[in-house]
């Protein structure tokens, strides 16, 4: 469903690409934004992303994508950025090169297990290339370890008890204690470029190869452990239980991140998921508890 008026989208795409839009197809994903495939006159295609924020959006994203692409990461070229006011609301447009393919997440049930493993190893190498980039100061969203807030932890423990049981809540409480210890005793880690949402849903597969990394909305400076931890928590079955595959590809370029930091970032992310106002499913709650249990037992 097109939320932004079609006439506005057509006008922006025409100003960037110099061609008329013949067909506009909504795409899944795209984070918090509207995302479309625009088929243009002359058999060309682009991706249109539209954000509604108080300040111009996509500027840092486009810059960081360019840095990653220069390091050998397959990501789309941003063809143009436009910002305009519509009915008192700022609309930011990012017109990007169209990359063919379907997400690894979509293909999970259709691909042989050997292909999924191979592609995941390749994804690890690409992630290491992302982390080889030193982001420019002040660009993107910075991702730091956070000291758990007492009121938030109390609320999380109550919700986990109600959703699962008291033993699960005790695991979460020990995880929060572990995170506090790491945050208060570990020096700030060196940072590199983090993709911010490096998950199967954002990895494009075309003709048996990994051809694109999309959705750089949350990219910015962080410890390399940040992206690795997010994968372990949120990659989805069966890949979240096979971080060894991602690390194997990563090791083609450099050594994986500090395991203590990876554990801390993973627990930090589970606490954020458990605290969301729109509650996760019981299965997602259980996944969070399983991740914390795994790291506390190491």
């Amino acid at each position: 469903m097109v939320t932004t008026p079609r006439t506005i989208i057509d006008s922006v795409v025409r100003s960037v690409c110099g061609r008329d839009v013949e067909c506009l197809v909504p795409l899944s994903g795209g984070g918090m934004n509207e995302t479309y495939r625009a088929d243009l006159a002359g058999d060309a295609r682009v991706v249109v992303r539209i954000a509604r924020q108080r300040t111009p959006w996509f500027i840092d994203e486009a810059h960081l994508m360019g840095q990653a692409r220069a390091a050998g990461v397959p990501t789309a070229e941003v063809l143009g950025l436009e910002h305009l006011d519509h009915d008192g609301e700022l609309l930011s447009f990012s017109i990007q090169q169209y990359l063919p393919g379907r997400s690894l997440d979509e293909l999970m049930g259709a691909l042989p297990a050997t292909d999924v493993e191979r592609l995941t190893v390749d994804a690890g190498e690409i992630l290491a290339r992302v982390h080889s980039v030193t982001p420019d100061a002040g660009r993107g969203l910075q991702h730091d370890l956070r000291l758990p807030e007492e009121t938030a932890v109390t609320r999380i423990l109550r919700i986990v008890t109600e959703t699962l049981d008291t033993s699960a809540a005790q695991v979460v409480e020990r995880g929060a204690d572990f995170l506090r210890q790491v945050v208060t005793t570990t020096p700030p880690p060196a940072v590199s470029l983090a993709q911010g949402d490096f998950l199967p849903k954002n990895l494009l597969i075309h003709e048996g190869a990994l051809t694109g990394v999309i959705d750089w909305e949350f990219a910015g400076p962080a410890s390399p452990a940040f992206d690795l931890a997010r994968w372990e928590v949120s990659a989805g079955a069966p890949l979240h239980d096979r971080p060894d595959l991602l690390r194997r590809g990563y090791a083609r370029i450099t050594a994986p991140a500090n395991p203590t930091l990876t554990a801390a970032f993973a627990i930090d992310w589970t606490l954020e998921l458990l605290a969301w106002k729109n509650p996760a499913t019981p299965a997602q709650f259980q996944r969070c508890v399983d991740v914390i249990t795994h790291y506390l037992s190491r």
Side-chain angles (χ1 to χ4, degrees), residues 128-200:
R129 293 188 186 281
V130 175
H131 293 166
S132 72
V133 175
T134 301
D136 293 336
R139 292 282 196 172
L141 298 177
Q142 180 144 350
H143 304 283
D144 297 316
L145 283 175
R146 300 160 296 182
L147 197 64
E149 296 182 2
E150 295 299 331
T151 53
V153 172
T154 299
R155 176 175 172 271
I156 290 167
L157 295 179
R158 175 179 56 77
I159 295 172
V160 172
T161 299
E162 293 172 353
T163 306
L164 299 177
D165 52 37
T166 55
S167 63
Q170 290 168 357
V171 170
V172 173
E173 187 170 23
R174 294 201 306 273
D177 288 340
F178 172 85
L179 181 56
R180 291 188 190 96
Q181 180 182 9
V182 174
V183 171
T184 56
T185 62
T186 305
V191 300
S192 61
L193 175 61
Q195 199 273 344
D197 202 21
F198 194 87
L199 295 171

Side-chain angles (χ1 to χ4, degrees), residues 16 25 35 40 72 79 94 148 152 154 216-217 238-239 248 262 266 282 291:
V16 172
V25 180
T35 307
L40 310 181
L79 305 175
S94 176
T154 299
W216 292 73
E217 178 134 18
L239 291 181
R248 189 188 309 166
T262 303
V291 167

Side-chain angles (χ1 to χ4, degrees), residues 46-47 49 61 65 76-79 94-98:
V46 295
V47 169
R49 301 183 71 210
E61 179 187 66
M65 288 169 68
E77 179 183 355
V78 177
L79 305 175
S94 176
I95 312 302
Q96 302 180 7
Q97 171 193 15
Y98 175 77

Side-chain angles (χ1 to χ4, degrees), residues 4-285:
T4 301
R6 172 67 185 265
T7 54
I8 293 178
I9 298 175
D10 288 356
S11 175
V12 171
V13 173
R14 190 181 306 112
S15 71
V16 172
C17 302
R19 303 187 189 189
D20 290 331
V21 177
E22 294 187 338
C23 180
L24 197 65
V25 180
L27 298 177
S28 60
M32 301 178 292
N33 310 305
E34 292 177 60
T35 307
Y36 306 98
R37 188 195 77 216
D39 297 344
L40 310 181
D43 197 29
R45 287 179 171 176
V46 295
V47 169
V48 182
R49 301 183 71 210
I50 308 170
R52 288 169 165 77
Q53 301 287 341
R54 294 182 179 180
T55 57
W57 211 244
F58 298 128
I59 297 172
D60 286 347
E61 179 187 66
H63 177 82
L64 297 173
M65 288 169 68
Q67 284 191 288
R69 192 165 54 256
V73 178
T75 187
E77 179 183 355
V78 177
L79 305 175
L81 299 176
E82 296 283 345
H83 309 281
L84 58 88
D85 180 86
H86 173 64
D87 290 342
E89 184 176 38
L90 179 64
L91 302 182
S92 293
F93 291 78
S94 176
I95 312 302
Q96 302 180 7
Q97 171 193 15
Y98 175 77
L99 298 178
R102 295 170 60 192
S103 74
L104 180 57
D105 188 51
E106 287 183 81
L107 294 171
M108 197 69 68
L111 290 174
T114 53
D115 284 356
V116 172
E117 291 184 7
R118 172 180 55 81
L119 291 166
T120 303
V121 172
D122 290 346
E125 178 177 339
I126 288 172
L127 182 58
R129 293 188 186 281
V130 175
H131 293 166
S132 72
V133 175
T134 301
D136 293 336
R139 292 282 196 172
L141 298 177
Q142 180 144 350
H143 304 283
D144 297 316
L145 283 175
R146 300 160 296 182
L147 197 64
E149 296 182 2
E150 295 299 331
T151 53
V153 172
T154 299
R155 176 175 172 271
I156 290 167
L157 295 179
R158 175 179 56 77
I159 295 172
V160 172
T161 299
E162 293 172 353
T163 306
L164 299 177
D165 52 37
T166 55
S167 63
Q170 290 168 357
V171 170
V172 173
E173 187 170 23
R174 294 201 306 273
D177 288 340
F178 172 85
L179 181 56
R180 291 188 190 96
Q181 180 182 9
V182 174
V183 171
T184 56
T185 62
T186 305
V191 300
S192 61
L193 175 61
Q195 199 273 344
D197 202 21
F198 194 87
L199 295 171
K201 65 180 181 178
N202 290 325
L203 304 179
L204 293 181
I205 310 301
H206 184 61
E207 296 182 348
L210 203 164
T211 56
V213 181
I214 62 173
D215 197 357
W216 292 73
E217 178 134 18
F218 304 107
S223 163
F226 175 84
D227 281 327
L228 291 165
R230 288 287 178 104
W231 181 279
E232 292 193 30
V233 177
S234 298
L239 291 181
H240 59 206
D241 290 325
R242 294 297 310 275
D244 59 300
L245 296 173
L246 198 71
R247 291 172 180 273
R248 189 188 309 166
Y250 197 99
R252 293 173 182 169
I253 305 297
T254 189
N258 181 312
T260 299
L261 285 176
T262 303
F265 273 108
I267 292 173
D268 178 66
W269 178 230
T270 64
L271 293 179
E272 181 172 334
L273 293 177
L274 293 170
W276 280 357
K277 291 182 179 179
N278 294 325
T281 65
Q284 290 169 322
F285 269 71

